[in-house]
């Protein structure tokens, strides 16, 4: 009898074990917070009523076959109540659905902040971890780690809209950004791609005929590939209003130091903008440090103002610029004026602008008359001041506020005080180099250089040296380098230059011009 009971118990145990195996073959088993199923991804999703709309769309677009193949995948499943947004995302349904499937298995243990996952539509998903929340692009995992035979399913709280590349975003910009958009797109070149083109025959001359594929090439791609999905790049995006405001400010600045804002100046500014806004890396924590663009341009976040809340792109990010400034050392090649403009200052106003020590006479002199045939200039006469001092134990000096010519609407010539942007400059000057005294030069009461021998023709003879082309046109150069000076303050400022004779030297001086050239530090 005991043997019979033992046999019955053994048979019952075998039946129960077989039932458990069949149960595991067809139903999910929960292990901790995970779901483990022996079903493939498609069968598992079909077994879940809450994903029925998602599954039906996969079937409709033939993507169900992907879930049955001998491959491992990650599926970002969307519940039925969130699928109603599919037609409102502005993309083909097939494109959206492919964005919800990745090759390879990425369970929650593999999901890390900054991870980028290539989807079946060629775009990347970006993972961001915030405490216990796992964000997938704009979605959040609400039921993760549903492990299947050939992959994993993560339920997310919304349909994912694919990010676009920086290039695609730029190409689709409206007229409010037409300046930067058209500037970049004008550099495009469409070229034949032989690698991806399919040979279809040979013509009579023996040339291969192709089912041709063409690709867009742009020199910017060599520095920061804003089109490629495999790069991580950054762009600072200025609107037309920001650029126009920038150029309006440039025009005001040029007027203040006596220079016209010409077409060539605008081209220089456009080139700087184009080369300063692209970076071949992701820019984080905007505003914390200076940046160097993919073209080597310096970008100072304390001057170039941008919205720190960037727009995420499939291959990087875009910051919207709210204030743009062309650096002084880019748009200012030189600020230059002549000493003989003294003659346009009314006699009564001269004491306010020119302070003299031991000077007996200041007169205007004409220097040599020369021709510059390469420039089409003939009969050009150098005109300068002649300053005569008094011999004695006290140094002779002229301390003057920099001025420039100013013509009114009637064409009458007057003067106005020069104002320049603050920053570091190199100061150059020129003289008629003949028997001049040794000089001490001050800038806003700061000694720049002492014992300067300006009687040497090179480089002090007028403006015929430095930044000229010897043998072609030694005209309108910078002159001789005195030294580096600083204009202090936060806004446009006037300045003074003081020329002081060294004791025991000749007491006649004929100054011709001064020039300020921004240094690399002058932003």
């Amino acid at each position: 009898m005991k043997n019979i009971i033992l046999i019955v118990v053994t048979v019952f145990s075998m039946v129960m074990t077989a039932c458990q195996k069949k149960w595991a073959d067809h139903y999910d088993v929960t292990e901790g917070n995970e779901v483990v199923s022996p079903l493939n991804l498609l069968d598992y999703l079909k077994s879940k009523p809450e994903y029925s709309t998602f599954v039906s769309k996969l079937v409709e677009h033939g993507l169900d076959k992907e879930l049955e193949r001998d491959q491992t995948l990650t599926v970002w499943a969307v519940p039925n109540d969130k699928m109603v947004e599919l037609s409102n995302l502005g993309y083909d349904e097939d494109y959206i659905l492919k964005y919800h499937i990745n090759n390879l298995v990425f369970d929650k243990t593999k999901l890390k902040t900054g991870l980028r996952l290539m989807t079946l539509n060629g775009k990347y998903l970006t993972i961001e971890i915030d405490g216990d929340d796992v964000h997938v692009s704009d979605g959040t995992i609400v039921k993760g780690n549903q492990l299947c035979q050939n992959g994993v399913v993560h339920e997310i709280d919304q349909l994912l809209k694919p990010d676009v590349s920086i290039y695609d975003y730029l190409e689709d910009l409206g007229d409010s950004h037409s300046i930067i958009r058209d500037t970049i797109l004008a550099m495009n070149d469409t070229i034949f791609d032989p690698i991806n083109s399919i040979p279809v025959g040979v013509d009579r001359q023996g040339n291969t005929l192709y089912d041709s594929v063409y690709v867009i090439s742009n020199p910017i791609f060599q520095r920061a590939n804003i089109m490629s999905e495999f790069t991580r790049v950054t762009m600072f995006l200025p609107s037309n209003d920001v650029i126009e405001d920038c150029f309006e400010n440039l025009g005001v600045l040029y007027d203040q130091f006596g220079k016209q804002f010409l077409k060539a100046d605008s081209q220089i500014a456009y080139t700087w903008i184009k080369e300063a806004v692209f970076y071949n890396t992701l820019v984080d924590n905007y505003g914390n440090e200076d940046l160097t663009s993919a073209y080597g341009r310096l970008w100072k976040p304390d001057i170039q103002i941008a919205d720190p809340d960037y727009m995420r792109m499939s291959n990087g990010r875009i910051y919207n610029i709210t204030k743009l400034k062309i650096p002084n050392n880019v748009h200012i090649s030189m600020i230059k004026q002549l000493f003989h403009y003294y003659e346009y200052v009314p006699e009564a106003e001269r004491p306010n602008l020119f302070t003299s020590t031991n000077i007996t006479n200041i007169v205007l002199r004409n220097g040599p008359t020369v021709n510059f045939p390469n420039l089409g200039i003939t009969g050009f006469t150098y005109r300068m001041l002649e300053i005569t001092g008094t011999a004695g134990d006290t140094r002779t000096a002229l301390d003057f506020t920099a001025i420039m010519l100013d013509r009114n609407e009637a064409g009458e010539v007057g003067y106005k005080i020069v104002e320049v942007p603050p920053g570091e400059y190199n100061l150059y000057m020129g003289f008629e180099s003949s028997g001049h005294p040794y000089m001490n030069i001050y800038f806003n009461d700061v000694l720049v250089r002492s014992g300067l021998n300006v009687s040497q023709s090179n480089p002090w003879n007028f403006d015929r040296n430095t930044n000229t082309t010897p043998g072609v046109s030694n005209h309108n150069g910078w002159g001789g380098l005195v030294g580096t000076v600083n204009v202090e303050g936060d806004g446009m400022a006037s300045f003074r230059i003081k020329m002081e004779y060294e004791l025991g030297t000749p007491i006649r001086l004929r100054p011709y011009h001064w020039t300020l050239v921004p240094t690399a530090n002058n932003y």
Side-chain angles (χ1 to χ4, degrees):
M1 185 66 178
K2 288 181 180 180
N3 290 338
I4 294 173
I5 294 173
L6 180 61
I7 291 171
V8 172
V9 171
T10 302
V11 170
F12 181 76
S13 299
M14 292 173 63
V15 170
M16 289 303 295
T17 302
C19 290
Q20 287 175 353
K21 288 182 178 179
K22 290 181 179 179
W23 182 277
D25 286 343
H26 295 286
Y27 296 93
D28 307 334
V29 176
T30 301
E31 296 184 1
N33 294 324
E34 297 182 345
V35 171
V36 180
S37 172
L39 301 175
N40 66 36
L41 288 165
L42 181 61
D43 290 339
Y44 175 77
L45 289 170
K46 284 182 175 180
S47 74
K48 298 295 181 180
E50 63 267 32
Y51 304 142
S52 60
T53 305
F54 181 69
V55 172
S56 67
K57 284 297 181 180
L58 294 178
V59 172
E60 180 182 335
H61 292 275
L63 294 175
D64 56 322
K65 302 296 188 295
E66 297 290 336
L67 308 187
E68 295 179 305
R69 291 178 182 167
D70 186 17
Q71 59 183 339
T72 56
L73 301 170
T74 298
V75 178
W76 309 94
V78 181
N80 296 338
D81 61 329
K82 303 298 182 181
M83 288 295 294
V84 295
E85 291 296 319
L86 184 59
S87 61
N88 299 327
L89 295 182
Y91 292 96
D92 292 338
E93 289 184 354
D94 182 77
Y95 186 73
I96 293 290
L97 293 168
K98 286 180 178 178
Y99 194 57
H100 289 72
I101 304 174
N102 297 106
N103 284 305
L104 303 179
V105 177
F106 293 93
D107 61 39
K108 292 186 76 171
T109 64
K110 297 177 182 176
L111 299 178
K112 309 294 182 183
T113 291
L115 181 65
R116 300 176 70 229
L117 306 178
M118 174 73 84
T119 67
L120 296 191
N121 73 359
K123 293 290 185 179
Y124 281 93
L125 291 169
T126 302
I127 304 300
E128 198 76 31
I129 309 295
D130 182 13
D132 294 331
D133 293 330
V134 180
H135 301 293
V136 186
S137 291
D138 291 324
T140 302
I141 295 177
V142 294
K143 184 179 180 182
N145 276 19
Q146 302 177 60
L147 303 172
C148 300
Q149 182 188 85
N150 61 337
V152 62
V153 174
H154 299 294
E155 181 184 327
I156 53 178
D157 63 350
Q158 61 180 287
L159 273 167
L160 304 177
K161 183 176 181 179
D163 292 331
V164 298
S165 70
I166 293 177
Y167 178 85
D168 290 338
Y169 185 86
L170 184 66
E171 190 176 39
D172 290 338
L173 282 171
D175 290 342
S176 63
H177 292 77
S178 61
I179 295 175
I180 189 67
R181 179 198 67 198
D182 296 345
T183 298
I184 303 307
L185 297 183
M187 302 168 65
N188 281 355
D189 188 16
T190 303
I191 60 175
F192 174 62
D193 181 6
I195 295 177
N196 294 305
S197 297
I198 301 173
V200 294
V202 179
D203 65 15
R204 292 181 179 180
Q205 288 73 39
N207 300 313
T208 302
L209 300 176
Y210 291 90
D211 183 2
S212 300
V213 174
Y214 292 88
V215 296
I216 294 174
S217 175
N218 190 305
I220 289 174
F221 299 166
Q222 304 302 316
R223 303 293 187 116
N225 197 334
I226 59 175
M227 177 178 280
S228 172
E229 293 294 331
F230 299 99
T231 58
R232 301 293 277 156
V233 293
T234 301
M235 179 183 182
F236 292 104
L237 181 64
S239 67
N240 290 1
D241 288 343
V242 168
I243 293 177
E244 288 166 0
D245 181 65
C246 171
F247 276 55
E248 183 177 341
N249 290 335
L250 279 182
V252 172
L253 290 179
Y254 273 51
D255 182 64
Q256 286 176 301
F257 54 75
K259 189 177 184 298
Q260 287 184 301
F261 186 61
L262 305 175
K263 182 178 180 180
D265 299 307
S266 67
Q267 291 173 338
I268 291 172
Y270 278 127
T271 297
W272 184 86
I273 294 172
K274 178 186 67 181
E275 295 182 352
V277 298
F278 293 109
Y279 295 76
N280 55 10
T281 186
L282 288 183
V283 173
D284 288 311
N285 301 318
Y286 184 80
N288 289 348
E289 58 183 17
D290 293 348
L291 306 170
T292 301
S293 78
Y295 285 85
R297 298 290 193 173
L298 180 63
W299 183 275
K300 287 184 170 291
D302 57 334
I303 295 175
Q304 315 295 354
I305 309 302
D307 184 349
D309 295 327
Y310 59 81
M311 296 182 291
R312 188 186 66 230
M313 300 288 118
S314 65
N315 58 349
R317 55 189 56 162
I318 289 177
Y319 289 86
N320 282 308
I321 302 173
T322 58
K323 187 71 175 180
L324 181 65
K325 178 183 185 295
I326 309 299
N328 295 336
N329 55 42
V330 171
H331 70 82
I332 302 175
S333 58
M334 66 176 180
I335 303 171
K336 176 181 177 180
Q337 299 297 335
L338 306 181
F339 279 96
H340 79 83
Y341 297 158
Y342 170 89
E343 63 186 300
Y344 295 101
V345 179
E347 190 76 33
E349 298 178 26
R350 287 177 181 172
N352 297 325
L353 301 172
F354 298 87
T355 301
S356 62
T357 303
N358 287 346
I359 290 178
T360 58
N361 198 24
I362 300 177
V363 296
L364 280 300
R365 295 289 187 191
N366 287 333
T369 298
V370 296
N371 300 317
F372 299 102
N374 291 308
L375 300 176
I377 297 175
T378 59
F380 179 86
T381 301
Y382 290 101
R383 186 162 174 78
M384 71 208 82
L385 287 182
E386 181 178 275
I387 302 169
T388 305
T390 302
D393 294 332
T394 304
R395 287 188 173 94
T396 298
L398 178 65
D399 190 344
F400 67 94
T401 299
I403 61 171
M404 56 178 281
L405 293 186
D406 184 34
R407 289 181 172 83
N408 61 25
E409 294 181 356
E412 298 170 334
V413 180
Y415 81 95
K416 68 178 182 180
I417 294 173
V418 175
E419 292 185 323
V420 299
E424 185 181 85
Y425 296 85
N426 282 325
L427 171 64
Y428 295 81
M429 296 179 70
F431 307 82
E432 183 188 49
S433 57
S434 176
H436 284 159
Y438 285 80
M439 305 293 301
N440 300 326
I441 305 296
Y442 297 79
F443 187 89
N444 286 341
D445 295 326
V446 176
L447 179 64
V448 182
R449 190 166 173 181
S450 61
L452 192 61
N453 183 7
V454 299
S455 64
Q456 298 175 341
S457 62
N458 187 2
W460 304 105
N461 191 31
F462 298 114
D463 59 354
R464 305 185 70 166
N465 292 283
T466 315
N467 202 44
T468 61
T469 308
V472 178
S473 175
N474 54 346
H475 171 67
N476 198 28
W478 296 346
L481 176 62
V482 177
T484 301
V485 300
N486 278 283
V487 176
E488 305 293 343
D490 297 324
M492 300 292 286
S494 61
F495 58 91
R496 301 189 330 277
I497 297 175
K498 178 180 176 182
M499 299 177 294
E500 181 183 69
Y501 296 27
E502 282 278 13
L503 290 175
T505 61
I507 55 176
R508 181 181 61 80
L509 178 69
R510 290 178 177 174
Y512 177 66
H513 80 285
W514 59 263
T515 303
L516 289 181
V517 178
T519 70
N521 297 324
N522 192 328
Y523 200 83

